[in-house]
Amino acid sequence: MKNVLVTGATGFIGSRVCDALREKEYTVNAVSRDPERARKKLNSVNEIYAWNPDTEQLPSGATTDVNTVIHLAGETIAGRWNAEKKRRIRDSRVLSTRNLVASFASSDTKPQTLICASAIGLYGDSGDENFTEESPPGTDFLAEVCQEWETESQKASEYGIRVVWVRIGLVLGIGGGLLEQVLPPFKMGVGGKLGSGNQWMSWIHVDDVIGIVLHAMDNDNIEGALNATAPSPVRNIEFTKTLGSVLGKPTIFPVPTFGLKIMMGEFANFVVLSQSVLPEKTEACGYQFQYPTLESALKDLL
């Protein structure tokens, strides 16, 4: 029997991770700013501890007899960026991870494994090149946040804890992720390519994100970075056509880059970022994707 502690458990990915762990008969505990509210959303969690990740270490007892900590907490990057939004994006990742790892130093029983979410934003813009887990980091805002995020989590290795970073791509699922942002106009028949449409999109089905997290948890030989991206990235124009085809809707209404910047501000630069990210190490360590192609993923979801 494994005991697992999950942060970000009420989120789009976190709640599904908790359900998957419970299905495998693991004991699942969680932390939340509002345990009472979280309890209403999480049927598969045993104990929920109160925790303010920006200012506090984990509460006493949260890591007792815990084998694995899965750290998924973080402010969504979607939305119009301003100074306050960017501060929340950074602090919710960097400060929470710093406080999480500091908790291990004072804990009598330390987990064996820390699986920390990260993002392919670490790599920056790839143009027409491919990124793998060995590629160097970029220099933009998200790349810097991801580097700080991973640096804080790596400090857990000083306590003999195995550390894995799951660098998550554009997640496809119902109720959150990329589809929540793009489905409404496509369903109304007014979807289209974004910007030039030539930018690469490194997508992944939400079930494969969960699968990679559990695969990393169950295989003690895995350390360091894993790209949580499907092995077949597509250009935005192909994503647009495939989504329209699955929905049976036209895709003739492009959104120019200047229009995106009017609507989204600085976040528009991320929306049109070109990233072709391959899960080279993820596949090499034995993970088999349930949805390796975009069409198979969208047909399952829609």
Side-chain angles (χ1 to χ4, degrees):
M1 177 70 74
K2 283 190 175 182
N3 298 320
V4 183
L5 179 70
V6 180
T7 79
T10 60
F12 172 56
I13 294 173
S15 61
R16 289 163 171 79
V17 166
C18 291
D19 290 342
L21 288 167
R22 189 58 180 265
E23 287 177 10
K24 296 185 73 171
E25 298 186 347
Y26 294 160
T27 298
V28 186
N29 295 329
V31 290
S32 173
R33 294 176 188 270
D34 187 344
E36 186 174 340
R37 179 171 173 270
R39 172 59 64 191
K40 296 176 181 177
K41 297 184 66 175
L42 299 172
N43 297 322
S44 55
V45 170
N46 182 42
E47 185 80 28
I48 302 178
Y49 298 88
W51 182 46
N52 184 334
D54 295 342
T55 60
E56 301 172 348
Q57 294 185 20
L58 288 172
S60 176
T63 58
T64 300
D65 297 327
V66 166
N67 306 98
T68 301
V69 174
I70 300 176
H71 183 38
L72 302 172
E75 168 88 7
T76 177
I77 66 170
R80 190 175 184 87
W81 286 4
N82 53 31
E84 174 60 19
K85 174 71 171 179
K86 291 170 72 173
R87 183 196 65 78
R88 294 200 306 269
I89 289 171
R90 179 193 177 277
D91 288 355
S92 65
R93 290 161 172 78
V94 177
L95 295 184
S96 69
T97 307
R98 183 178 300 162
N99 289 324
L100 181 77
V101 173
S103 306
F104 302 150
S106 57
S107 176
D108 293 332
T109 59
K110 296 174 175 55
Q112 299 167 2
T113 302
L114 169 62
I115 298 175
C116 184
S118 185
I120 62 171
L122 176 132
Y123 300 115
D125 196 301
S126 70
D128 285 329
E129 301 296 319
N130 292 325
F131 287 138
T132 72
E133 288 89 349
E134 300 303 318
S135 297
T139 57
D140 60 20
F141 168 69
L142 284 181
E144 291 175 354
V145 169
C146 290
Q147 288 177 73
E148 290 185 74
W149 197 3
E150 293 187 4
T151 297
E152 293 296 337
S153 63
Q154 182 60 28
K155 293 175 183 177
S157 64
E158 298 173 8
Y159 309 115
I161 298 170
R162 177 173 66 100
V163 179
V164 181
W165 309 304
V166 180
R167 294 173 177 166
I168 302 172
L170 300 170
V171 182
L172 303 181
I174 301 302
L178 178 64
L179 288 183
E180 185 175 50
Q181 306 295 319
V182 303
L183 267 184
F186 275 84
K187 284 185 173 181
M188 292 187 291
V190 293
K193 67 179 182 178
L194 301 178
S196 71
N198 290 324
Q199 67 271 24
W200 286 100
M201 299 177 64
S202 293
W203 61 275
I204 185 170
H205 191 295
V206 65
D207 287 354
D208 276 317
V209 177
I210 295 162
I212 291 169
V213 169
L214 268 61
H215 184 74
M217 183 182 73
D218 290 337
N219 289 273
D220 293 339
N221 61 319
I222 297 174
E223 292 188 58
L226 295 178
N227 285 337
T229 54
S232 54
V234 297
R235 293 189 187 274
N236 176 259
I237 187 66
E238 182 181 347
F239 179 89
T240 299
K241 291 179 177 178
T242 305
L243 179 55
S245 176
V246 171
L247 291 172
K249 297 290 186 179
T251 56
I252 57 175
F253 295 92
V255 184
T257 301
F258 76 85
L260 290 169
K261 289 185 176 180
I262 292 172
M263 291 186 293
M264 301 178 179
E266 187 180 347
F267 180 55
N269 295 330
F270 174 78
V271 172
V272 297
L273 197 68
S274 183
Q275 289 194 306
S276 178
V277 181
L278 302 179
E280 191 173 90
K281 182 180 171 185
T282 304
E283 292 190 299
C285 75
Y287 183 74
Q288 295 184 340
F289 282 83
Q290 301 173 62
Y291 302 96
T293 67
L294 180 63
E295 186 175 15
S296 66
L298 290 176
K299 283 186 175 179
D300 173 73
L301 294 166
L302 302 175

